[in-house]
Amino acid sequence: HLMQATTNNLLIGCDIGTSSTKSILVDTHGCISAASRCDYPMYRPQPGWAENNPDDWVNAVMTCILDLLDKPGIDPTTVKGMSFVAQRDPLVFLYKDQCVLGPSISWTDMRDINETHKLYDLFGRTALTNTTGLAPIPGVGLPIVSWIQKHRPHIWNNTHYTIKCIYLFNKMTFT
């Protein structure tokens, strides 16, 4: 529940999820002064597929932050920091001017199951786990890249950057 801030030092926390961004404004003692939520769609163009538009994340975070700062009694100059947490490893494929080349495939997506198994066959599950610390799973990382290379060559051939939620930070800081 919401409480009056006990200090003049406030922090913003944003949780960027698969279908919404939730944000809170807290003081340095953990008292929540305000909360905001902005929903966006999870696109499912085919069964087993799940995608987000990365710009939906940016717009939702900006909407939530502005909503928090617009609450009665909130002085924006007292915000001393922000923290972001995001859904599991969404990749964003960017052109050289940092324009998004296509949707971000969600970790809940299963379209790359064949690519996942091909990676196991090619490198061995144990070798992949020993080398990277993780076994590739559908919807995350390397299987997505493999799927994009095979099924969306127009995206892969124009990709200059592949990043995760750093896309959001770049947009927020205009870099």
Side-chain angles (χ1 to χ4, degrees):
H1 74 300
L2 303 180
M3 301 173 61
Q4 182 64 35
T6 59
T7 73
N8 286 335
N9 295 321
L10 299 175
L11 306 167
I12 293 175
C14 295
D15 175 5
I16 301 119
T18 56
S19 62
S20 69
T21 289
K22 285 91 41 202
S23 298
I24 58 173
L25 186 65
V26 299
D27 68 17
T28 54
H29 298 290
C31 294
I32 300 172
S33 298
S36 185
R37 177 187 175 121
C38 184
D39 296 330
Y40 39 80
M42 169 67 74
Y43 299 99
R44 298 188 180 278
Q46 293 187 35
W49 290 24
E51 305 173 341
N52 286 116
N53 176 346
D55 287 324
D56 287 345
W57 304 328
V58 175
N59 294 333
V61 167
M62 293 301 292
T63 297
C64 283
I65 290 172
L66 292 172
D67 183 49
L68 291 175
L69 298 178
D70 196 38
K71 302 283 187 196
I74 301 300
D75 177 1
T77 65
T78 62
V79 175
K80 304 301 180 192
M82 293 179 18
S83 177
F84 299 92
V85 63
Q87 58 182 299
R88 185 175 186 170
D89 299 328
L91 294 178
V92 181
F93 294 85
L94 300 174
Y95 189 61
K96 62 184 168 190
D97 61 1
Q98 295 197 19
C99 285
V100 174
L101 292 169
S104 177
I105 297 173
S106 172
W107 66 275
T108 62
D109 189 285
M110 296 303 289
R111 76 181 78 184
D112 58 357
I113 191 91
N114 291 335
E115 286 74 12
T116 304
H117 291 296
K118 286 178 186 171
L119 289 168
Y120 293 156
D121 292 344
L122 183 63
F123 298 106
R125 186 180 180 115
T126 302
L128 285 166
T129 303
N130 289 343
T131 302
T132 67
L134 299 168
I137 60 173
V140 179
L142 189 55
I144 291 173
V145 171
S146 296
W147 189 91
I148 291 288
Q149 286 176 323
K150 181 177 180 181
H151 299 281
R152 298 287 188 269
H154 62 283
I155 290 177
W156 183 252
N157 292 334
N158 288 298
T159 296
H160 287 256
Y161 309 99
T162 304
I163 58 177
K164 299 188 213 180
C165 271
I166 278 192
Y167 174 73
L168 172 72
F169 307 132
N170 289 352
K171 289 296 225 178
M172 298 276 304
T173 59
F174 307 107
T175 59

PDB file of all heavy atoms in Angstrom, residues 24-45:
ATOM      1  N   ILE A  24       7.328   1.913  -9.468  1.00  0.00           N
ATOM      2  CA  ILE A  24       7.053   2.444  -8.138  1.00  0.00           C
ATOM      3  C   ILE A  24       8.032   3.573  -7.828  1.00  0.00           C
ATOM      4  O   ILE A  24       9.139   3.619  -8.352  1.00  0.00           O
ATOM      5  CB  ILE A  24       7.123   1.367  -7.033  1.00  0.00           C
ATOM      6  CG1 ILE A  24       8.493   0.678  -7.010  1.00  0.00           C
ATOM      7  CG2 ILE A  24       5.985   0.362  -7.185  1.00  0.00           C
ATOM      8  CD1 ILE A  24       8.686  -0.267  -5.831  1.00  0.00           C
ATOM      9  N   LEU A  25       7.585   4.440  -6.967  1.00  0.00           N
ATOM     10  CA  LEU A  25       8.405   5.523  -6.439  1.00  0.00           C
ATOM     11  C   LEU A  25       8.545   5.255  -4.948  1.00  0.00           C
ATOM     12  O   LEU A  25       7.532   5.147  -4.236  1.00  0.00           O
ATOM     13  CB  LEU A  25       7.718   6.870  -6.691  1.00  0.00           C
ATOM     14  CG  LEU A  25       8.466   8.138  -6.335  1.00  0.00           C
ATOM     15  CD1 LEU A  25       9.706   8.292  -7.209  1.00  0.00           C
ATOM     16  CD2 LEU A  25       7.554   9.341  -6.521  1.00  0.00           C
ATOM     17  N   VAL A  26       9.784   5.065  -4.481  1.00  0.00           N
ATOM     18  CA  VAL A  26      10.018   4.722  -3.078  1.00  0.00           C
ATOM     19  C   VAL A  26      11.034   5.679  -2.477  1.00  0.00           C
ATOM     20  O   VAL A  26      11.852   6.268  -3.182  1.00  0.00           O
ATOM     21  CB  VAL A  26      10.535   3.269  -2.910  1.00  0.00           C
ATOM     22  CG1 VAL A  26       9.526   2.269  -3.430  1.00  0.00           C
ATOM     23  CG2 VAL A  26      11.874   3.069  -3.574  1.00  0.00           C
ATOM     24  N   ASP A  27      10.961   5.803  -1.154  1.00  0.00           N
ATOM     25  CA  ASP A  27      12.018   6.554  -0.490  1.00  0.00           C
ATOM     26  C   ASP A  27      13.140   5.588  -0.128  1.00  0.00           C
ATOM     27  O   ASP A  27      13.037   4.381  -0.367  1.00  0.00           O
ATOM     28  CB  ASP A  27      11.480   7.344   0.711  1.00  0.00           C
ATOM     29  CG  ASP A  27      11.027   6.473   1.870  1.00  0.00           C
ATOM     30  OD1 ASP A  27      11.386   5.277   1.932  1.00  0.00           O
ATOM     31  OD2 ASP A  27      10.292   6.986   2.732  1.00  0.00           O
ATOM     32  N   THR A  28      14.205   6.109   0.432  1.00  0.00           N
ATOM     33  CA  THR A  28      15.379   5.267   0.712  1.00  0.00           C
ATOM     34  C   THR A  28      15.160   4.320   1.885  1.00  0.00           C
ATOM     35  O   THR A  28      16.029   3.502   2.179  1.00  0.00           O
ATOM     36  CB  THR A  28      16.627   6.141   0.945  1.00  0.00           C
ATOM     37  OG1 THR A  28      16.339   7.101   1.964  1.00  0.00           O
ATOM     38  CG2 THR A  28      17.040   6.849  -0.339  1.00  0.00           C
ATOM     39  N   HIS A  29      14.005   4.404   2.537  1.00  0.00           N
ATOM     40  CA  HIS A  29      13.650   3.453   3.587  1.00  0.00           C
ATOM     41  C   HIS A  29      12.711   2.371   3.062  1.00  0.00           C
ATOM     42  O   HIS A  29      12.304   1.488   3.803  1.00  0.00           O
ATOM     43  CB  HIS A  29      12.995   4.176   4.770  1.00  0.00           C
ATOM     44  CG  HIS A  29      13.897   5.176   5.423  1.00  0.00           C
ATOM     45  ND1 HIS A  29      14.996   4.815   6.168  1.00  0.00           N
ATOM     46  CD2 HIS A  29      13.867   6.522   5.415  1.00  0.00           C
ATOM     47  CE1 HIS A  29      15.610   5.908   6.597  1.00  0.00           C
ATOM     48  NE2 HIS A  29      14.947   6.954   6.155  1.00  0.00           N
ATOM     49  N   GLY A  30      12.360   2.461   1.784  1.00  0.00           N
ATOM     50  CA  GLY A  30      11.499   1.452   1.175  1.00  0.00           C
ATOM     51  C   GLY A  30      10.022   1.755   1.221  1.00  0.00           C
ATOM     52  O   GLY A  30       9.216   0.914   0.825  1.00  0.00           O
ATOM     53  N   CYS A  31       9.649   2.916   1.702  1.00  0.00           N
ATOM     54  CA  CYS A  31       8.226   3.278   1.724  1.00  0.00           C
ATOM     55  C   CYS A  31       7.787   3.666   0.306  1.00  0.00           C
ATOM     56  O   CYS A  31       8.385   4.543  -0.311  1.00  0.00           O
ATOM     57  CB  CYS A  31       7.970   4.446   2.671  1.00  0.00           C
ATOM     58  SG  CYS A  31       8.272   4.036   4.395  1.00  0.00           S
ATOM     59  N   ILE A  32       6.748   3.012  -0.181  1.00  0.00           N
ATOM     60  CA  ILE A  32       6.239   3.274  -1.522  1.00  0.00           C
ATOM     61  C   ILE A  32       5.333   4.493  -1.495  1.00  0.00           C
ATOM     62  O   ILE A  32       4.336   4.524  -0.776  1.00  0.00           O
ATOM     63  CB  ILE A  32       5.483   2.051  -2.074  1.00  0.00           C
ATOM     64  CG1 ILE A  32       6.406   0.837  -2.134  1.00  0.00           C
ATOM     65  CG2 ILE A  32       4.890   2.355  -3.448  1.00  0.00           C
ATOM     66  CD1 ILE A  32       5.703  -0.466  -2.496  1.00  0.00           C
ATOM     67  N   SER A  33       5.708   5.506  -2.281  1.00  0.00           N
ATOM     68  CA  SER A  33       4.941   6.742  -2.340  1.00  0.00           C
ATOM     69  C   SER A  33       3.944   6.763  -3.491  1.00  0.00           C
ATOM     70  O   SER A  33       2.927   7.448  -3.421  1.00  0.00           O
ATOM     71  CB  SER A  33       5.880   7.943  -2.504  1.00  0.00           C
ATOM     72  OG  SER A  33       6.736   8.046  -1.403  1.00  0.00           O
ATOM     73  N   ALA A  34       4.251   6.056  -4.569  1.00  0.00           N
ATOM     74  CA  ALA A  34       3.375   6.066  -5.741  1.00  0.00           C
ATOM     75  C   ALA A  34       3.657   4.823  -6.573  1.00  0.00           C
ATOM     76  O   ALA A  34       4.743   4.246  -6.512  1.00  0.00           O
ATOM     77  CB  ALA A  34       3.612   7.326  -6.573  1.00  0.00           C
ATOM     78  N   ALA A  35       2.653   4.445  -7.351  1.00  0.00           N
ATOM     79  CA  ALA A  35       2.798   3.294  -8.243  1.00  0.00           C
ATOM     80  C   ALA A  35       2.095   3.608  -9.555  1.00  0.00           C
ATOM     81  O   ALA A  35       1.153   4.408  -9.598  1.00  0.00           O
ATOM     82  CB  ALA A  35       2.206   2.038  -7.606  1.00  0.00           C
ATOM     83  N   SER A  36       2.570   2.976 -10.614  1.00  0.00           N
ATOM     84  CA  SER A  36       1.979   3.190 -11.931  1.00  0.00           C
ATOM     85  C   SER A  36       2.135   1.923 -12.752  1.00  0.00           C
ATOM     86  O   SER A  36       3.062   1.138 -12.529  1.00  0.00           O
ATOM     87  CB  SER A  36       2.670   4.369 -12.623  1.00  0.00           C
ATOM     88  OG  SER A  36       2.038   4.656 -13.842  1.00  0.00           O
ATOM     89  N   ARG A  37       1.235   1.754 -13.709  1.00  0.00           N
ATOM     90  CA  ARG A  37       1.277   0.586 -14.591  1.00  0.00           C
ATOM     91  C   ARG A  37       0.829   1.021 -15.980  1.00  0.00           C
ATOM     92  O   ARG A  37      -0.092   1.814 -16.128  1.00  0.00           O
ATOM     93  CB  ARG A  37       0.343  -0.499 -14.069  1.00  0.00           C
ATOM     94  CG  ARG A  37       0.262  -1.712 -14.957  1.00  0.00           C
ATOM     95  CD  ARG A  37      -0.810  -2.673 -14.460  1.00  0.00           C
ATOM     96  NE  ARG A  37      -0.954  -3.770 -15.381  1.00  0.00           N
ATOM     97  CZ  ARG A  37      -0.783  -5.038 -15.077  1.00  0.00           C
ATOM     98  NH1 ARG A  37      -0.478  -5.380 -13.841  1.00  0.00           N
ATOM     99  NH2 ARG A  37      -0.929  -5.972 -15.983  1.00  0.00           N
ATOM    100  N   CYS A  38       1.503   0.471 -16.981  1.00  0.00           N
ATOM    101  CA  CYS A  38       1.131   0.737 -18.371  1.00  0.00           C
ATOM    102  C   CYS A  38       1.173  -0.593 -19.124  1.00  0.00           C
ATOM    103  O   CYS A  38       2.210  -1.244 -19.177  1.00  0.00           O
ATOM    104  CB  CYS A  38       2.085   1.753 -18.990  1.00  0.00           C
ATOM    105  SG  CYS A  38       1.619   2.226 -20.662  1.00  0.00           S
ATOM    106  N   ASP A  39       0.034  -0.979 -19.692  1.00  0.00           N
ATOM    107  CA  ASP A  39      -0.062  -2.234 -20.426  1.00  0.00           C
ATOM    108  C   ASP A  39       0.307  -2.041 -21.891  1.00  0.00           C
ATOM    109  O   ASP A  39       0.162  -0.948 -22.436  1.00  0.00           O
ATOM    110  CB  ASP A  39      -1.492  -2.789 -20.355  1.00  0.00           C
ATOM    111  CG  ASP A  39      -1.901  -3.164 -18.945  1.00  0.00           C
ATOM    112  OD1 ASP A  39      -1.024  -3.546 -18.149  1.00  0.00           O
ATOM    113  OD2 ASP A  39      -3.109  -3.072 -18.641  1.00  0.00           O
ATOM    114  N   TYR A  40       0.781  -3.112 -22.501  1.00  0.00           N
ATOM    115  CA  TYR A  40       1.044  -3.144 -23.939  1.00  0.00           C
ATOM    116  C   TYR A  40       0.804  -4.571 -24.424  1.00  0.00           C
ATOM    117  O   TYR A  40       0.780  -5.510 -23.628  1.00  0.00           O
ATOM    118  CB  TYR A  40       2.459  -2.671 -24.292  1.00  0.00           C
ATOM    119  CG  TYR A  40       3.542  -3.119 -23.348  1.00  0.00           C
ATOM    120  CD1 TYR A  40       4.090  -4.388 -23.428  1.00  0.00           C
ATOM    121  CD2 TYR A  40       4.016  -2.256 -22.364  1.00  0.00           C
ATOM    122  CE1 TYR A  40       5.082  -4.794 -22.551  1.00  0.00           C
ATOM    123  CE2 TYR A  40       5.007  -2.658 -21.494  1.00  0.00           C
ATOM    124  CZ  TYR A  40       5.540  -3.925 -21.591  1.00  0.00           C
ATOM    125  OH  TYR A  40       6.517  -4.328 -20.728  1.00  0.00           O
ATOM    126  N   PRO A  41       0.643  -4.736 -25.719  1.00  0.00           N
ATOM    127  CA  PRO A  41       0.292  -6.070 -26.217  1.00  0.00           C
ATOM    128  C   PRO A  41       1.483  -7.024 -26.313  1.00  0.00           C
ATOM    129  O   PRO A  41       2.610  -6.604 -26.527  1.00  0.00           O
ATOM    130  CB  PRO A  41      -0.266  -5.795 -27.615  1.00  0.00           C
ATOM    131  CG  PRO A  41       0.338  -4.495 -28.022  1.00  0.00           C
ATOM    132  CD  PRO A  41       0.579  -3.714 -26.763  1.00  0.00           C
ATOM    133  N   MET A  42       1.176  -8.281 -26.126  1.00  0.00           N
ATOM    134  CA  MET A  42       2.071  -9.374 -26.489  1.00  0.00           C
ATOM    135  C   MET A  42       1.479  -9.910 -27.782  1.00  0.00           C
ATOM    136  O   MET A  42       0.355 -10.387 -27.796  1.00  0.00           O
ATOM    137  CB  MET A  42       2.089 -10.468 -25.424  1.00  0.00           C
ATOM    138  CG  MET A  42       2.782 -11.749 -25.857  1.00  0.00           C
ATOM    139  SD  MET A  42       4.547 -11.608 -26.121  1.00  0.00           S
ATOM    140  CE  MET A  42       5.134 -11.514 -24.443  1.00  0.00           C
ATOM    141  N   TYR A  43       2.217  -9.761 -28.848  1.00  0.00           N
ATOM    142  CA  TYR A  43       1.716 -10.201 -30.151  1.00  0.00           C
ATOM    143  C   TYR A  43       1.941 -11.700 -30.311  1.00  0.00           C
ATOM    144  O   TYR A  43       2.996 -12.211 -29.952  1.00  0.00           O
ATOM    145  CB  TYR A  43       2.405  -9.429 -31.280  1.00  0.00           C
ATOM    146  CG  TYR A  43       2.152  -7.943 -31.198  1.00  0.00           C
ATOM    147  CD1 TYR A  43       3.101  -7.091 -30.640  1.00  0.00           C
ATOM    148  CD2 TYR A  43       0.961  -7.407 -31.648  1.00  0.00           C
ATOM    149  CE1 TYR A  43       2.858  -5.727 -30.541  1.00  0.00           C
ATOM    150  CE2 TYR A  43       0.712  -6.043 -31.556  1.00  0.00           C
ATOM    151  CZ  TYR A  43       1.668  -5.209 -30.999  1.00  0.00           C
ATOM    152  OH  TYR A  43       1.421  -3.851 -30.907  1.00  0.00           O
ATOM    153  N   ARG A  44       0.957 -12.372 -30.854  1.00  0.00           N
ATOM    154  CA  ARG A  44       1.023 -13.814 -31.093  1.00  0.00           C
ATOM    155  C   ARG A  44       0.581 -14.092 -32.529  1.00  0.00           C
ATOM    156  O   ARG A  44      -0.538 -14.524 -32.759  1.00  0.00           O
ATOM    157  CB  ARG A  44       0.155 -14.552 -30.092  1.00  0.00           C
ATOM    158  CG  ARG A  44       0.639 -14.334 -28.656  1.00  0.00           C
ATOM    159  CD  ARG A  44      -0.091 -15.206 -27.660  1.00  0.00           C
ATOM    160  NE  ARG A  44       0.396 -14.968 -26.318  1.00  0.00           N
ATOM    161  CZ  ARG A  44       1.475 -15.509 -25.795  1.00  0.00           C
ATOM    162  NH1 ARG A  44       2.210 -16.332 -26.497  1.00  0.00           N
ATOM    163  NH2 ARG A  44       1.839 -15.235 -24.557  1.00  0.00           N
ATOM    164  N   PRO A  45       1.490 -13.807 -33.495  1.00  0.00           N
ATOM    165  CA  PRO A  45       1.105 -13.931 -34.906  1.00  0.00           C
ATOM    166  C   PRO A  45       0.835 -15.368 -35.359  1.00  0.00           C
ATOM    167  O   PRO A  45       0.174 -15.557 -36.377  1.00  0.00           O
ATOM    168  CB  PRO A  45       2.291 -13.336 -35.664  1.00  0.00           C
ATOM    169  CG  PRO A  45       3.424 -13.358 -34.711  1.00  0.00           C
ATOM    170  CD  PRO A  45       2.839 -13.290 -33.335  1.00  0.00           C
TER     171      PRO A  45
END
